[in-house]
Amino acid sequence: MTTTIRQRPAAVLLTPAAEARIAALMAKAPEGAIGVKLSTPRRGCSGLAYSVDYVTEANAFDERIETPGGGFYIDGASVLYLVGSTMDWVEDDFTAGFVFNNPNAKGSCGCGESFTV
């Protein structure tokens, strides 16, 4: 009997624009940064918020996605809130930022800065 290991899909799908932004961030990353990390700290009106920061060391529980511009990490404690999400980078005349389409979010605050699951 042969055991086949199937590659598990990433918890978060990155659009090409998000991957390009991660590459731009890594091109000007502070010394010691090994990638960019997405987490969902408790804050805001609805309870959880999206946070994207540089990371200097890998945590064994974090999920790692290899992108053309460098490592993208998802906080191990946040994966459950993010499974199936899409992360995009959107720029217009007035704003620029990461935008999340999260099927796990049951609601968000009026300003869109936080969400609840």
Side-chain angles (χ1 to χ4, degrees):
M1 181 173 174
T2 304
T3 302
T4 304
I5 298 175
R6 183 174 57 97
Q7 182 71 19
R8 180 173 54 106
V12 175
L13 174 67
L14 301 171
T15 66
E19 287 186 347
R21 181 60 183 167
I22 291 168
L25 289 170
M26 288 308 296
K28 61 181 180 180
E31 187 174 332
I34 61 167
V36 174
K37 184 173 183 175
L38 170 62
S39 61
T40 56
R42 296 199 175 279
R43 70 171 182 243
C45 313
S46 293
L48 297 170
Y50 300 104
S51 179
V52 180
D53 301 289
Y54 290 111
V55 63
T56 56
E57 62 183 56
N59 180 324
F61 296 106
D62 291 347
E63 180 163 329
R64 186 173 194 276
I65 299 171
E66 193 57 47
T67 73
F72 177 71
Y73 295 82
I74 302 170
D75 177 62
S78 300
V79 170
L80 282 175
Y81 307 127
L82 298 169
V83 169
S85 296
T86 300
M87 180 174 158
D88 195 9
W89 176 258
V90 177
E91 289 185 49
D92 63 25
D93 290 342
F94 301 104
T95 62
F98 287 109
V99 176
F100 299 88
N101 179 357
N102 186 344
N104 306 299
K106 301 295 183 230
S108 62
C109 65
C111 63
E113 292 295 318
S114 62
F115 68 100
T116 186
V117 290

